Amino acid sequence: MKVSTTVFFGGLALLGALSCISSCAHTDRIVGAWEAAPVPLNVPDAADASAIVTLDFGQITSSSMPAEVQLSATIDVRQAVQGDPLAATRPWEQSVAATASISGSYAYEDGSDDDIIITLDPSSFIVNIDPAGVVFDNNVVTGMESSALDSLTAACADRWRVLLAGPMREVFYSYGRMDDIKIHHNDLMSAGVNHRDCSFRRLGTPGE
């Protein structure tokens, strides 16, 4: 009787392990970094603005536990300005290269292996603008002292950091749910995001 009981529970453990391995292997298909297509941003005062979002899914260790996810974005903004804050008379243009990121966790919806729920940590949200990524056309910088240019660059970086925060939060939080996830040829992914059909390309190799 003792031997039969041991064999029975041993069999249950083996089946559970095999089930977990099968389930994890199926859900692991999205682990790694995926880059979305560029999306336009509605940024006040910008003539043109867009962002490219990357989702980096961590390894799932248990089907009942969420895994880490990191969302990041590269942002390009262009603004044509009528008039110069330094009293120049000609129109000028500035462009800004920025990044944004936020972290959180993701889990598969109960009973599903192609729908995930992403929960983001609002305290981890950040927008970064490197002063080197703030570029002015020659109408502004020609003949300008370096101290004045540094001051103008810093002011513009601070301004765009504030203006980009709202639109980027909106973009990131649109990924709260991803439906009908499908992997194509191992390096392309399609999914429904915020009622839109989106496509992604894998960056690197799975698990990197």
Side-chain angles (χ1 to χ4, degrees):
M1 181 68 176
K2 183 179 294 185
V3 173
S4 298
T5 303
T6 302
V7 171
F8 174 73
F9 283 107
L12 287 180
L14 178 60
L15 287 174
L18 290 174
S19 175
C20 179
I21 291 172
S22 176
S23 174
C24 290
H26 192 56
T27 56
D28 277 356
R29 61 201 177 123
I30 71 169
V31 171
W34 297 87
E35 184 181 80
V39 293
L41 297 178
N42 184 18
V43 182
D45 298 337
D48 183 51
S50 63
I52 299 176
V53 174
T54 298
L55 299 92
D56 194 348
F57 295 100
Q59 184 80 35
I60 290 181
T61 57
S62 169
S63 59
S64 61
M65 295 292 292
E68 294 182 351
V69 64
Q70 178 84 15
L71 276 67
S72 58
T74 56
I75 309 162
D76 288 309
V77 181
R78 183 176 58 83
Q79 180 191 28
V81 180
Q82 297 298 321
D84 187 347
L86 300 179
T89 59
R90 292 171 294 178
W92 55 286
E93 182 179 279
Q94 62 176 295
S95 60
V96 178
T99 61
S101 64
I102 192 169
S103 59
S105 62
Y106 77 100
Y108 280 83
E109 195 171 39
D110 290 343
S112 172
D113 60 7
D114 59 3
D115 300 331
I116 63 172
I117 305 297
I118 295 178
T119 303
L120 298 175
D121 175 9
S123 67
S124 67
F125 175 77
I126 187 170
V127 175
N128 286 311
I129 300 180
D130 185 341
V134 180
V135 179
F136 305 95
D137 67 8
N138 290 333
N139 286 354
V140 173
V141 300
T142 299
M144 182 181 293
E145 294 183 2
S146 60
S147 59
L149 179 59
D150 290 344
S151 178
L152 178 61
T153 299
C156 287
D158 289 341
R159 176 173 177 269
W160 285 112
R161 190 177 294 111
V162 173
L163 291 176
L164 288 169
M168 282 313 307
R169 281 195 184 93
E170 184 177 342
V171 169
F172 284 152
Y173 277 92
S174 71
Y175 285 91
R177 179 186 177 90
M178 296 178 66
D179 300 306
D180 196 25
I181 297 173
K182 289 182 172 60
I183 307 299
H184 310 276
H185 309 295
N186 200 45
D187 58 0
L188 296 175
M189 177 170 69
S190 62
V193 178
N194 197 29
H195 309 294
R196 296 182 296 112
D197 292 329
C198 297
S199 59
F200 308 80
R201 67 180 185 94
R202 190 188 291 277
L203 301 179
T205 58
E208 279 191 339

